[in-house]
Amino acid sequence: MTTSTAGPETPLGTALPVPGQPAGNIDTARVADLISQLLIALGEDPAREGLIGTPERVAAWWSDFLSPDDATSVTCFSEPLLSDQLVVVGGMSVWALCEHHMLPMNLEVTAGYVPDGEVVGLSKFGRIAAHFAGRLQVQERFTEQVAEYLTGVIGRKDVAVAVRGLHLCMSMRGVRMEAARTTTLHAGGRFATDPVLNQQFLAAAQWNAA
């Protein structure tokens, strides 16, 4: 488990960090041609039955996966009497691609924050997670990006994000340990200074992962 404190707040609509940016315009025709070349290099025949149309399907998938929905329109609702309540949203599962081996990783995300006069629309947490997953990624950076974005949304550092990842680059290659999981944790603001709040979040995150 890696633990970090919150970094600078990320205003909505600002440019994303250079590492792990979503792709720009994707040349699907070029991608399809490259997949055809790859199949040939692997000793396959792209024109045989079963592979006809495969390069185009793969190219369409890359274009779809690397063009995630925008996450900047986050809705907050006014709750003037609400404060000091821990809100934890779990059960979010997204797919990303390991940028080191270009193999999938499944990331189970739990996010928590302490409202102060307003609450964040619950569905937006999933949209934020999906937005930062739709690119070549590493789990550690993904965790920070989700946390920093939520920090910008609520305007304070009282944000915690826990991510549990299954990495196929570790499960199906290398050491091939299928049961291996990686956990990353971002604890910012009160989550970093209040041990009771931190433990409450960890307990809720564990419960959500059960």
Side-chain angles (χ1 to χ4, degrees), residues 2 7 13 23 29 38 40 73 79 91 94 100-101 106 128 133 140 195 204:
T2 59
L38 175 62
I40 294 171
S73 57
E79 292 287 347
V94 295
H100 300 141
H101 304 99
N106 181 246
I128 293 169
E140 296 85 347

Side-chain angles (χ1 to χ4, degrees), residues 21-104:
Q21 279 190 336
N25 294 327
I26 297 172
D27 187 344
T28 54
R30 175 63 173 151
V31 173
D33 180 60
L34 290 171
I35 296 300
S36 292
Q37 294 180 46
L38 175 62
L39 288 171
I40 294 171
L42 293 174
E44 282 285 0
D45 177 9
R48 76 165 172 82
E49 185 178 0
L51 288 181
I52 295 176
T54 292
E56 290 75 20
R57 285 189 292 269
V58 174
W61 175 83
W62 275 102
S63 179
D64 180 67
F65 184 85
L66 295 176
S67 305
D69 291 336
D70 194 3
T72 56
S73 57
V74 177
T75 305
C76 294
F77 301 94
S78 177
E79 292 287 347
L81 302 180
L82 184 62
S83 62
D84 293 328
Q85 182 186 78
L86 173 60
V87 176
V88 178
V89 182
M92 296 177 286
S93 178
V94 295
W95 287 93
L97 286 173
C98 165
E99 66 182 34
H100 300 141
H101 304 99
M102 296 181 72
L103 287 174

Side-chain angles (χ1 to χ4, degrees), residues 38 61-62 96-105 135-138 167-175:
L38 175 62
W61 175 83
W62 275 102
L97 286 173
C98 165
E99 66 182 34
H100 300 141
H101 304 99
M102 296 181 72
L103 287 174
M105 53 182 174
R135 62 196 69 181
L136 299 178
Q137 267 288 17
V138 296
H167 298 249
L168 294 194
C169 58
M170 188 175 183
S171 300
M172 65 181 294
R173 62 165 297 282
V175 293

